[in-house]
Amino acid sequence: MASIKDVAAGAEVSVATVSRVLNGHPSVRPDTRTRVMAAVEALGYRPNAVARSLRTQQTRTLGLVISDVLNPYFTELARSVEDEARAHGYSVIIGNADEQPALQDHHIRTLVDRRIDGLLVSPTDGGSPLMLDAVRAGVPMVFVDRWIPGVDVPVVRADGREAVRDLVAHLYALGHRRLAIIAGPATTTTGSERVDAFREALREHGLPLPDARIGHGDFQAGSGHREATRLLALAEPPDVIFAADNLMALGAMDAIRAHGLRIPQDIALAAFDDIPWFVHTDPPITAIAQPTGELGRAAVRALIDRLDGREPHSAILPARLVVRRSCGEPPGPVTTAPAGVTPLPTTGVRTTPVTMPPAAAPGSTTPPAPPSPAPTPNRSNR
């Protein structure tokens, strides 16, 4: 394997000159630069990445800590992060927090110790002391999907409030009146935001959301099964279960079928976070789709802006409702692709300065009078 000395000999220059060429130093004459690069190409020389990082204080490596690698949403997010980073000349090291704050901290500590250039994090909680210490220490960081209110870090996320509003209006138009939600952890911004948006949308239609119809899950399938089982045992079971992520929706589907009930004839099911599998279930699941691929790409671009000395910006991208067959919809075409693999709209993307304020709580205005009830669809007795 060729060494830097071999390149220097081949180009008839000093080792220091070769080093200046490889590091883009402006003092090298154009003809010398051309001669050195020709020798590099002819000899197949590849700089030692470790040695180079010691000189430049850069490793060209980004860290990504995601909440659950088994969740298809985060799998797609990680893929888009890796693709975008590679396009900018960076590698990515991924840490799976498995929705555990302690494991999240382990990965952050390990990645910082390995001198990654910057960090992308989807926080599993409201902010551990270690993560806050990393922010205060100046570790370049971007939050993706989830964030920590009040922490001065750029955030790239989807806004699902309008999509949840569209979903509730869609369910109301189909005749559903008893709606329930299986929410994610209240310690996560996505967990609290989705249940708040759901409650606010129900209020617009004059529909209640009693505590009994709020399930408390953890974004994993087991909690979806557990909470759906509890909801089905209520004296007045819901007409619809809305699971606040895809894995909890799959767990809820298993629980519904274990009770011998049919979707949507006996109970409807909808989900937040569309995934390719949903079009293959029976029936295909109505879901809210996030622009997952673009979220990952935008997060990488924000982090690289920070690394290159440009002002990074937060970005809020719109989610959208994908109507299929799991809520009693009339026959029609089934949408096959989640938002992560479809073009983003050219409008609706908002960017904000680096500081991300806490999400506002739902307003306390008096709800409008409910519209005239729509005919309730026929349902089998349960």
Side-chain angles (χ1 to χ4, degrees):
M1 181 180 295
S3 68
I4 192 170
K5 292 182 179 179
D6 297 326
V7 174
E12 298 181 343
V13 297
S14 67
V15 169
T17 297
V18 174
S19 178
R20 285 194 292 272
V21 169
L22 295 178
N23 287 288
H25 199 283
S27 67
V28 182
R29 294 188 317 193
D31 61 323
T32 301
R33 187 182 306 278
T34 299
R35 209 162 63 246
V36 169
M37 293 311 297
V40 166
E41 185 67 25
L43 295 169
Y45 173 69
R46 295 294 177 267
N48 184 303
V50 174
R52 192 172 193 180
S53 72
L54 292 174
R55 293 193 303 273
T56 65
Q57 299 300 306
Q58 288 185 323
T59 60
R60 304 296 295 181
T61 303
L62 306 179
L64 170 64
V65 180
I66 55 176
S67 304
D68 183 3
V69 74
L70 294 180
N71 186 319
Y73 168 79
F74 285 111
T75 304
E76 183 182 351
L77 183 72
R79 173 64 182 271
S80 65
V81 164
E82 189 174 44
D83 288 347
E84 185 71 14
R86 187 186 306 113
H88 290 271
Y90 286 83
S91 298
V92 178
I93 300 175
I94 300 174
N96 172 35
D98 201 26
E99 300 290 359
Q100 299 178 41
L103 191 52
Q104 168 188 270
D105 284 359
H106 164 76
H107 289 307
I108 290 174
R109 184 182 298 107
T110 300
L111 290 166
V112 171
D113 287 348
R114 292 190 178 190
R115 302 175 59 253
I116 46 92
D117 294 336
L119 198 56
L120 297 157
V121 183
S122 178
T124 63
D125 58 6
S128 67
L130 185 142
M131 182 183 293
L132 299 180
D133 284 347
V135 172
R136 284 191 289 266
V139 175
M141 190 180 301
V142 169
F143 291 147
V144 58
D145 182 65
R146 306 175 187 176
W147 68 99
I148 302 174
V151 176
D152 194 22
V153 169
V155 182
V156 177
R157 66 181 182 94
D159 183 356
R161 287 184 176 270
E162 282 303 311
V164 170
R165 190 177 183 183
D166 291 343
L167 172 64
V168 171
H170 171 69
L171 296 171
Y172 191 91
L174 291 171
H176 300 298
R177 296 296 181 267
R178 294 197 307 273
L179 280 64
I181 183 171
I182 302 176
T187 54
T188 64
T189 48
T190 47
S192 59
E193 183 184 66
R194 290 170 194 174
V195 72
D196 288 346
F198 189 66
R199 181 184 287 109
E200 185 177 345
L202 288 175
R203 188 184 299 123
E204 291 179 2
H205 293 276
L207 299 177
L209 184 62
D211 289 345
R213 292 212 295 265
I214 301 175
H216 300 283
D218 60 4
F219 289 135
Q220 297 185 335
S223 66
H225 189 286
R226 181 192 70 235
E227 292 303 310
T229 299
R230 184 188 64 79
L231 290 168
L232 293 171
L234 294 175
E236 285 191 322
D239 297 329
V240 184
I241 292 177
F242 171 46
D245 95 317
N246 49 56
L247 293 184
M248 293 193 300
L250 294 175
M253 175 180 281
D254 287 343
I256 291 168
R257 288 176 172 166
H259 281 72
L261 301 176
R262 299 166 299 166
I263 302 171
Q265 293 91 338
D266 301 319
I267 186 168
L269 177 66
F272 203 105
D273 283 344
D274 197 14
I275 53 176
W277 303 347
F278 282 173
V279 74
H280 300 298
T281 59
D282 184 19
I285 297 177
T286 292
I288 291 173
Q290 300 195 76
T292 316
E294 183 55 26
L295 286 174
R297 291 187 289 271
V300 171
R301 293 193 294 267
L303 184 55
I304 290 175
D305 280 347
R306 166 78 188 274
L307 296 176
D308 289 348
R310 297 184 294 271
E311 181 183 2
H313 284 79
S314 295
I316 303 175
L317 310 180
R320 64 185 177 92
L321 174 63
V322 180
V323 174
R324 296 195 178 106
R325 304 272 179 76
S326 62
C327 297
E329 294 87 351
V334 174
T335 302
T336 60
V341 293
T342 55
L344 275 172
T346 55
T347 59
V349 178
R350 307 197 297 279
T351 60
T352 63
V354 61
T355 301
M356 191 68 196
S364 58
T365 56
T366 303
S372 301
T376 302
N378 293 328
R379 299 196 175 278
S380 302
N381 293 329
R382 287 177 279 168

